[in-house]
Amino acid sequence: MVLYFYSMHEQGPIGVFDSGYGGLTVLKEIVNKLPQYDYLYMGDNARAPYGTRSFETVYHYTLEAVQWFFKQGCPLVILACNTASAKALRTIQQNDLPKMNGSRRVLGVIRPTTEIIGNYSQTKNVGVLGTKGTVLSNSYPIEMEKFYPGIRVFQQACPMWVPLIENNEHRSKGADFFVEEYIDALLQQSPKIDTILLACTHYPLLIDKIKQFVPASTQVVSQGEIVANSLKDYLQRHAEMEKSCTKNGKLAFYTTDSIDDFDNQAGVFFGKKVNSMHLDLSAQ
Ligand code: DGL
């Protein structure tokens, strides 16, 4: 494996990770906001979806990915996957990072989102749509309570949405059934929900359909821009880390599955054509 961006000064691109394509919706917003940096995206498509997998499995897969990003010289890795952020981030930060090169960092998408999402809601009743793994972890209610004490958080797992999106069926009539089903199940939990957070990086692809089944007064929020703003703020507050991030405006994409499939699908998420390279994580 070529150490594509490796530098003697421990400088490198910002790593962005997802189980598959979803993290590209976050990368797109990050690149819009911070185009000067280099980015290395990796989607573990061969092992996606993560949303239905156990804690141990998601942790193990995510740790392998983080180790690969570090080998490529990334000083900072963003887990642009709620499931990985919910199930693996804390253990990696607390147990694994201290044993590795101490200056490298791994950040997730849940904390930056929960810091701000309470401000979107007038009624302080927020709905969260995510994978089964994210919902069962209870990460969103726990974190939101810290930033907005007393806030009411209602969750709904949407296990059919990622397969529909990954198979490019999200615009089909068949998708309507599952969108309506999960939205109804969420809204039945409280008539006061005025904000719905898409807590899975795949779901922005369904946002138009979701809005069809939600009252006009209820806002539907995707987290890409929130995460991008938070990363900008983080780099402003951490000068050493900022210096470690190379700035040539380069992008590289890796997938653990077929590059043809990735390149055909990725543009839908990223908004631009993508040329990926193959990665065999088991050979690392
Ligand atoms: N995109 C991932 C997330 O944000 C989940 C997709 C999956 O189930 O692998 O949670």
Side-chain angles (χ1 to χ4, degrees):
M1 173 54 55
V2 178
L3 295 183
Y4 190 68
F5 286 100
Y6 186 76
S7 129
M8 291 304 287
H9 305 288
E10 303 220 43
Q11 286 185 312
I14 297 172
V16 178
F17 174 68
D18 184 55
S19 59
Y21 301 109
L24 291 166
T25 64
V26 175
L27 179 64
K28 178 178 161 191
E29 301 297 338
I30 292 178
V31 173
N32 277 342
K33 184 118 335 211
L34 301 164
Q36 67 272 38
Y37 297 103
D38 298 327
Y39 298 95
L40 181 53
Y41 183 88
M42 194 255 279
D44 190 8
N45 298 76
R47 303 191 291 196
Y50 280 15
T52 44
R53 295 193 188 275
S54 68
F55 170 88
E56 286 73 20
T57 303
V58 173
Y59 163 66
H60 172 70
Y61 288 174
T62 307
L63 180 60
E64 271 184 6
V66 166
Q67 286 166 334
W68 178 80
F69 279 111
F70 286 172
K71 270 198 204 166
Q72 310 311 304
C74 297
L76 177 64
V77 178
I78 313 289
L79 303 183
C81 174
N82 286 275
T83 312
S85 300
K87 291 188 151 190
L89 179 63
R90 180 176 298 228
T91 312
I92 290 176
Q93 284 176 332
Q94 293 181 352
N95 295 355
D96 300 294
L97 274 187
K99 295 180 212 147
M100 301 181 195
N101 176 330
S103 64
R104 297 179 194 236
R105 291 287 174 270
V106 183
L107 303 174
V109 289
I110 296 179
R111 167 89 192 240
T113 307
T114 52
E115 268 175 13
I116 197 142
I117 194 69
N119 295 340
Y120 286 65
S121 172
Q122 300 293 316
T123 62
K124 300 296 175 220
N125 280 244
V126 175
V128 172
L129 299 169
T131 65
K132 197 172 139 215
T134 298
V135 166
L136 289 180
S137 76
N138 255 336
S139 301
Y140 273 94
I142 292 168
E143 290 296 313
M144 275 154 79
E145 176 62 28
K146 287 185 197 155
F147 296 111
Y148 301 95
I151 197 163
R152 301 191 70 207
V153 183
F154 302 91
Q155 303 190 92
Q156 177 62 41
C158 311
M160 287 304 290
W161 286 6
V162 168
L164 282 167
I165 295 165
E166 294 258 324
N167 289 293
N168 214 359
E169 290 289 337
H170 53 285
R171 289 192 201 87
S172 69
K173 271 191 93 52
D176 288 14
F177 175 84
F178 289 105
V179 172
E180 188 174 16
E181 181 175 344
Y182 298 143
I183 294 291
D184 282 355
L186 176 71
L187 293 177
Q188 273 167 21
Q189 296 181 48
S190 163
K192 289 194 187 155
I193 294 172
D194 67 349
T195 304
I196 296 179
L197 171 69
L198 305 185
C200 170
T201 53
H202 280 67
Y203 297 174
L205 269 81
L206 278 172
I207 196 163
D208 292 338
K209 255 194 208 303
I210 292 169
K211 283 180 178 169
Q212 287 170 22
F213 296 101
V214 159
S217 57
T218 304
Q219 56 187 330
V220 181
V221 181
S222 355
Q223 60 191 160
E225 208 181 330
I226 296 173
V227 174
N229 285 332
S230 164
L231 177 60
K232 184 174 178 191
D233 180 59
Y234 176 86
L235 292 171
Q236 278 166 355
R237 286 184 291 107
H238 295 83
E240 277 311 306
M241 178 55 78
E242 201 283 332
K243 275 190 229 141
S244 303
C245 300
T246 48
K247 298 171 196 71
N248 305 295
K250 278 200 213 168
L251 286 169
F253 300 87
Y254 282 82
T255 174
T256 55
D257 208 341
S258 144
I259 56 173
D260 291 337
D261 288 352
F262 191 86
D263 295 356
N264 283 335
Q265 274 284 80
V268 181
F269 294 79
F270 191 54
K272 267 188 215 157
K273 175 107 188 69
V274 156
N275 289 312
S276 62
M277 287 168 270
H278 180 71
L279 165 68
D280 183 357
L281 269 179
S282 64
Q284 295 302 304

